[in-house]
Amino acid sequence: MTTTPDLTELLADSPSNWGKWGADDEVGSLNYLTAEQVLAGVGLIRKGALFTLQRLIGDPNGDPVWPGRSPATREMILDESHWDEGGDGPAFPGGLHYADDKINAFLQGSTQYDALGHVWYDGRIYNGYDARTTVGGLEKASVEPIAQRGVAGRAVLLDMARYRGAGHLGAGETFDHTDLEKCAAAQGIEIKPRDILVIRTNHLDLFFEDSEAFYGNFCEPGLVYSPELVQWFQDKEIPNLVTDTIANEVTTDPHNGVALVLHNALMRNLGIAFTEICDLEKLADDCAADGVYEFFYVAAPLKIHRATGAPVNPVVIK
Ligand code: UVW
C-alpha cells in the first residue's frame, strides 16, 4: 500500500522565492509585473473590445463554491415597501426614498484573488511568515497588499477545452506545462516570460448542468504537479494564474493523492497570485473567432483588511 506523502516531504526540493523581493514582501510574483509588462499588455489593445471575467454573485442558477463553503446570500434592508402605511422607512426632508441591501459571502466564494497567505504547510506561509499570523485574520500576506497594488500586464488565454476538442474538461482531467506549450502553439502564440496565464477548462458547465452530480464527483480538472512544472513556472516568471475552476488545479493529485499541491508549490513557495472561478466563455469565443489569444489584463481585488481573498471582476481588453 502506498501512503500519501505530506507536502513537506513532497516539496522538499521545490524552488522558493521567499526573500527574493525582501523580508517584508507580501505580493510575491506580482513583482514581475513591472511598468514594462503593463505597457507590453497595453500594446496588445487592437480593437477596443472589453471582457469582464467575474461570475455573477447571487446567480439564480447557482454560485459554484468549494465544498464546505456556501453561496453568497443577499438581504434586502430597505425598499419601497418600508414606506407603505405603518412602515419604518426613514423620513428625509424632500421625501427621499432609497434601496439598501447587504451580502453575506465567503471571500473565497466568488471570482476572487487568493491572498498569498491563504494556504500553507509546515507552519509557514508565503515569504516564511509564521502561520500563527493567520489567527483572527491574516496579519501578513493578506489580500490587502495585492488589492493596494493592482494587477496589470500581458496575458494569454490557453483554451485547454478547445485544444482537446471538448466542450469542457471532465472531473479529474489533468494537464501540465508541456500541454500548455502545445496548446499555445496550436493557437499560434508563444507563452512569454512574465505572461499572466488564463486557462480555460469550462468545467463549471457541469456545475450549472447538475450541481448534485458535480459535487458528488468533486475533483476539478487542471494543472497537475511535477517538479518540472514548478520549475517551468519559476523559469517563466509567471506572476498570476487565472482559471475558470474553483481551485485552479486538479483537486487531488492522481500521482500521489495530495490535495491542492500547486496552491503550495506555486502560491506559498513562489508567490504566484491565484485568480479563481472566472467566466472565460465570451473571451474564449472571441479568441476563437479572431484568432488572437494575447491581450491586456487588468484586475484589482477589493481592499479588505486581513482577508484571505477578495472578490474581483478582472477586465480583459483586446
Ligand atoms: C481552498 O481554499 C481549499 O481552495 P481555493 O483557493 O480554491 O479557495
Side-chain angles (χ1 to χ4, degrees), residues 221-244:
L223 287 166
V224 64
Y225 168 76
S226 68
E228 294 76 18
L229 175 135
V230 178
Q231 195 57 50
W232 182 88
F233 272 81
Q234 176 74 329
D235 294 344
K236 285 269 184 204
E237 301 186 335
I238 301 298
N240 191 177
L241 176 63
V242 180
T243 83
D244 60 359

Side-chain angles (χ1 to χ4, degrees), residues 75-95:
E75 184 189 346
M76 207 65 197
I77 303 299
L78 209 54
D79 56 34
E80 179 61 14
S81 70
H82 289 256
W83 283 275
D84 286 349
E85 182 80 31
D88 62 355
F92 286 94

Side-chain angles (χ1 to χ4, degrees), residues 199-204 242-246 277-278 280-281:
I199 301 178
R200 173 177 177 266
T201 68
N202 198 25
H203 181 65
L204 290 181
V242 180
T243 83
D244 60 359
T245 59
I246 296 171
I277 323 185
C278 288
L280 302 177
E281 293 314 291

Side-chain angles (χ1 to χ4, degrees), residues 6 92 101 110 114 126 169 200 217 242 271 289 302 306 318:
D6 63 34
F92 286 94
D101 52 6
S110 64
D114 280 355
Y126 170 70
L169 298 192
R200 173 177 177 266
N217 183 25
V242 180
L302 296 181
R306 298 185 72 179
K318 288 180 70 180

Side-chain angles (χ1 to χ4, degrees), residues 194-266:
R194 304 194 169 189
D195 273 354
I196 295 165
L197 301 187
V198 182
I199 301 178
R200 173 177 177 266
T201 68
N202 198 25
H203 181 65
L204 290 181
D205 219 18
L206 295 176
F207 166 84
F208 290 105
E209 256 172 36
D210 181 352
S211 65
E212 226 171 274
F214 175 82
Y215 285 116
N217 183 25
F218 188 80
C219 185
E220 291 195 298
L223 287 166
V224 64
Y225 168 76
S226 68
E228 294 76 18
L229 175 135
V230 178
Q231 195 57 50
W232 182 88
F233 272 81
Q234 176 74 329
D235 294 344
K236 285 269 184 204
E237 301 186 335
I238 301 298
N240 191 177
L241 176 63
V242 180
T243 83
D244 60 359
T245 59
I246 296 171
N248 272 15
E249 61 175 301
V250 67
T251 308
T252 309
D253 187 322
H255 307 302
N256 52 41
V258 179
L260 301 190
V261 181
L262 295 179
H263 270 61
N264 288 288
L266 300 183

